[in-house]
Amino acid sequence: MPSGRTRQFDVDEALDRALEVFWARGYEGATLPALTRAMGINRPSLYAAFGNKEQLFRKALDRYQTGPMSFLYEGLRKPTARAAAEAIFSGFIRMQRDRDQARGCLVVSGALACGEEAETVRRELAQLRQTIVSVFRERFERAVQDGDLPAGTDCATLARYTATVLNGLAVQAASGTTEKELRLVAALAMQAWPPRRESSP
C-alpha cells in the first residue's frame, strides 16, 4: 500500500466475513470473488491486507480457534475429564445456534478432500485435528494421575473417541441436524464414558 494511504475498511470485520465464507464453503469452495464480495473489498486490497488466499485462510483459521472454537479450550479446564468432555460437546452445540450456512466445524470440513493446490491446507487441518486428539489425551492422562479416571484407562483411545464424537457432531450439524438431536447424540456418547474411580474406604 502506498505510503500515507490508510485502509478504507475494518480489517477485523473483513476477516470475520472471510471466516464465514471459508466456514460455509470450505477452502476450495471459497473463491476469490466470493471472498472479496463478502469482505466488501477488491482483490488488491485483499492481497495488501492479508496476502494470498492461503494466507487469508490461515488468518481466518487462527480467528476461528480463538473465537468460535474457544469452547474446546475452556472445556478442557473443567475439574474432571467427564465434565470436560460434556462441556466440549455442549460448547460445540451452542456454537451452532443461530447459524445458517456456516455450520459444522471449519477444522473438520475446511479441506477434507481437495485438489493439489489445496493439499498444504488439507495437511495443516489434518495435523490440527491430530493435535486436538493429543490435547485430549494429555488431559485424560492427567485425570488418571489425579484419580479422576480409573488406573489403566486407555487414554489414547478415549481421546480419539472424544474427537470422533466431536467430529461426528460437526458433520451432523453441517447436514442440518437440530440442536435437540445433537444433544441426544452427545448424551448417548457419554454413556460409554469410564466411571470415576471410587475412593478407598
Side-chain angles (χ1 to χ4, degrees):
M1 181 171 290
S3 177
R5 285 191 62 185
T6 57
R7 294 195 179 103
Q8 300 300 313
F9 65 94
D10 185 305
V11 173
D12 288 333
E13 184 177 342
L15 188 54
D16 283 337
R17 291 178 179 178
L19 169 57
E20 291 293 323
V21 176
F22 283 124
W23 196 349
R25 303 189 180 193
Y27 178 75
E28 283 192 326
T31 62
L32 282 173
L35 287 164
T36 54
R37 184 166 55 251
M39 297 166 76
I41 60 178
N42 57 28
R43 287 196 189 193
S45 294
L46 185 153
Y47 294 140
F50 304 105
N52 60 24
K53 178 183 172 181
E54 188 171 321
Q55 292 171 316
L56 173 62
F57 178 79
R58 288 196 172 93
K59 289 181 173 67
L61 181 61
D62 288 342
R63 202 166 186 83
Y64 179 77
Q65 292 182 76
T66 58
M69 195 177 167
S70 60
F71 71 85
L72 190 149
Y73 307 104
E74 293 169 1
L76 288 169
R77 293 196 290 268
K78 293 293 183 180
T80 68
R82 182 185 184 92
E86 289 175 334
I88 288 168
F89 294 156
S90 293
F92 171 80
I93 294 168
R94 283 196 306 273
M95 186 181 74
Q96 306 303 309
R97 289 177 181 168
D98 302 322
R99 303 201 66 84
D100 184 13
Q101 295 182 352
R103 302 189 77 225
C105 175
L106 179 62
V107 176
V108 173
S109 58
L112 273 178
C114 57
E116 292 182 5
E117 292 183 2
E119 179 61 20
T120 301
V121 171
R122 187 196 68 78
R123 288 200 305 267
E124 186 172 335
L125 290 178
Q127 181 58 51
L128 180 54
R129 291 193 295 272
Q130 289 302 315
T131 298
I132 291 171
V133 173
S134 297
V135 169
F136 286 166
R137 178 176 181 171
E138 291 170 5
R139 175 65 184 85
F140 300 154
E141 287 173 345
R142 191 166 71 250
V144 171
Q145 294 172 359
D146 293 343
D148 171 39
L149 286 175
T153 297
D154 185 346
C155 294
T157 300
L158 185 59
R160 194 161 296 284
Y161 171 79
T162 305
T164 298
V165 173
L166 184 60
N167 293 345
L169 290 173
V171 173
Q172 289 294 307
S175 302
T177 302
T178 67
E179 179 179 344
K180 180 180 179 180
E181 291 168 336
L182 293 174
R183 289 196 178 281
L184 289 172
V185 171
L188 183 61
M190 291 306 301
Q191 291 184 21
W193 198 260
R196 187 171 185 177
R197 189 172 74 180
E198 296 182 2
S199 301
S200 301

